[in-house]
Amino acid sequence: MEAILLVGGQGTRLRPLTISTPKPLLPTAGVAFLAHQLARAREAGVTRIIFATSYRAEMFEAAFGHRAQGVDLAYVSEREPLGTGGAIRNAATALASGPDDPVLILNGDILSGHDVPAQVELHQRSNAAATLHLTTVDDPSRFGVVPTDADGRVTGFMEKAARPVTDQINAGCYVFRRSEIDAIPLGEVVSVERETFPTLISSGATVMGYVESAYWLDVGTPEAFVRGSCDLVLGRIASPAMPGEPGDRLILPGAVVSDGAVVREGTTVGRGAEIEAGATVLGSVLQDGAFIAEGATVRDSVLGRGARVGPGAVLDGVILGDGASVGPGNELRDGLRLWPGISLPPTAVRFSADD
Ligand code: GDD
Ligand code: MG
């Protein structure tokens, strides 16, 4: 089976990490995020994937070439972003599948443990135009809300609805009958969520919902990105692309972690990164060459390449861009982000334990 992978988004919510690297290529549990998706697609029987690229298109081919994780790869780029539907149509020009064949479409920022072959089987059995993987989340307002009837047929599609009618959402993995993709106008900006699905449903086409609540995560926000990386390291979602066995931490070759440091909760320590004695690093992602000094505490945070945390500093839910540096004693919390190369001086006032 062939698949189209949507990877043209700008990854705005993950800035500044996505200034230099597109979201799907961010190091996640030791490899580019997409390596996990490619490996899982391969396991599900996908043999060829077309990348639908736009933002920093050239970096994808440079990263994966024409074969990776056992899958053949091709690239189709948009000069201007065409939206999700326009991107799917554009990439379809490179498909070899016949008009009635099922084609898998994947959002490029999803970690999912659902049973793709079972989704394809439902699609074929229902002779559907399209079959969507659906799952449930606590806050459906950030997603495409997708109600279904008693037979599992999709009855509506409301993208980012202010007042969601159900907590059942589009999980970003579709099976399309090839001919339905070809019906999307070529070279135009089209949203599959706001245009293609609502039109298909109102025209009476069979659109099915494949409901499965396996592990599922959209890694498009900083909190979700860190969680996804740690869940992979901890083995909460299995990935054939993981370098090494699941465990409390993933330490990549060339990293130096002092015996006197505490590193846990799924933290990844990148190549050439260093953690000194007395530092505590929990549930975080350290990209290559990052440095954490003695006595610092880093939790739920991402350190870009070569970022530095000084002695005794505290980071909680923070993103440091490449080469950013936090001087001794600073406390940064709650979604704070430092842009690449920014340096915070040491705190002027040092507190002692009896203050
Ligand atoms: N090639 C290309 N061109 N890709 C694009 C474009 C484009 O113009 N726009 C977005 N993409 C890609 C992104 O790179 C991403 O992989 C995917 O399409 C979805 O875009 P996001 O920006 O991540 O959308 P979202 O997370 O807000 O919402 C989507 O995913 C949700 C599930 O996580 C929608 O499909 C929702 O309906 C869905 O619930
Ligand atoms: Mg997303």
Side-chain angles (χ1 to χ4, degrees):
M1 188 167 57
E2 289 184 297
I4 293 172
L5 186 60
L6 293 170
V7 289
Q10 297 213 3
T12 322
R13 288 166 295 178
L14 279 176
R15 281 187 199 151
L17 299 172
T18 46
I19 295 173
S20 54
T21 308
K23 170 166 69 174
L25 296 182
L26 287 175
T28 313
V31 291
F33 178 78
L34 280 186
H36 302 291
Q37 268 192 321
L38 298 183
R40 292 197 66 96
R42 166 86 193 104
E43 274 191 335
V46 172
T47 52
R48 183 164 181 264
I49 298 184
I50 323 285
F51 281 51
T53 63
S54 173
Y55 177 67
R56 294 191 171 268
E58 68 297 339
M59 290 183 73
F60 290 91
E61 193 166 346
F64 291 110
H66 289 275
R67 196 170 164 82
Q69 302 291 337
V71 190
D72 291 326
L73 306 175
Y75 301 85
V76 181
S77 188
E78 301 139 50
R79 230 172 284 143
E80 294 297 324
L82 291 172
T84 45
I88 293 168
R89 176 65 187 92
N90 196 49
T93 54
L95 288 173
S97 302
D100 292 328
D101 289 342
V103 175
L104 195 69
I105 315 282
L106 300 163
N107 281 358
D109 60 353
I110 304 292
L111 271 180
S112 178
H114 82 284
D115 186 344
V116 176
Q119 181 182 354
V120 177
E121 203 272 323
L122 172 69
H123 176 82
Q124 298 291 64
R125 181 160 33 93
S126 317
N127 194 20
T131 301
L132 290 66
H133 173 214
L134 307 177
T135 191
T136 47
V137 291
D138 292 337
D139 177 13
S141 65
R142 295 196 296 119
F143 299 99
V145 169
V146 187
T148 43
D149 68 14
D151 301 323
R153 241 176 114 138
V154 171
T155 54
F157 194 114
M158 286 78 79
E159 182 67 9
K160 316 259 155 73
R163 277 196 219 99
V165 295
T166 159
D167 58 0
Q168 184 169 276
I169 62 138
N170 166 28
C173 173
Y174 326 122
V175 186
F176 262 87
R177 190 192 292 140
R178 160 83 201 255
S179 58
E180 298 293 342
I181 299 176
D182 291 337
I184 299 171
L186 181 61
E188 288 177 24
V189 177
V190 179
S191 162
V192 79
E193 296 89 352
R194 295 177 197 277
E195 297 170 73
T196 311
F197 286 131
T199 307
L200 270 176
I201 295 157
S202 63
S203 74
T206 304
V207 179
M208 295 300 293
Y210 173 75
V211 182
E212 190 189 329
S213 41
Y215 180 99
W216 184 86
L217 188 67
D218 173 331
V219 300
T221 64
E223 308 76 54
F225 174 73
V226 182
R227 182 147 37 97
S229 181
C230 294
D231 285 349
L232 282 159
V233 172
L234 293 164
R236 289 186 182 146
I237 168 129
S239 165
M242 254 281 288
E245 293 303 307
D248 232 12
R249 66 192 74 86
L250 173 64
I251 299 180
L252 294 173
V256 180
V257 177
S258 160
D259 287 343
V262 175
V263 181
R264 288 197 287 114
E265 298 180 15
T267 295
T268 298
V269 187
R271 289 172 186 76
E274 192 180 341
I275 303 176
E276 288 189 341
T280 303
V281 186
L282 306 175
S284 294
V285 180
L286 276 58
Q287 293 187 2
D288 295 352
F291 171 77
I292 298 177
E294 54 178 344
T297 303
V298 175
R299 176 192 289 273
D300 301 339
S301 296
V302 185
L303 273 57
R305 281 191 299 263
R308 300 180 69 82
V309 177
V314 176
L315 271 63
D316 189 348
V318 167
I319 294 188
L320 300 187
D322 295 347
S325 155
V326 176
N330 282 285
E331 283 194 23
L332 311 182
R333 297 186 189 274
D334 299 337
L336 197 130
R337 304 163 190 215
L338 280 195
W339 248 238
I342 297 286
S343 243
L344 283 189
T347 47
V349 185
R350 300 295 296 274
F351 296 99
S352 70
D354 16 282
D355 279 335

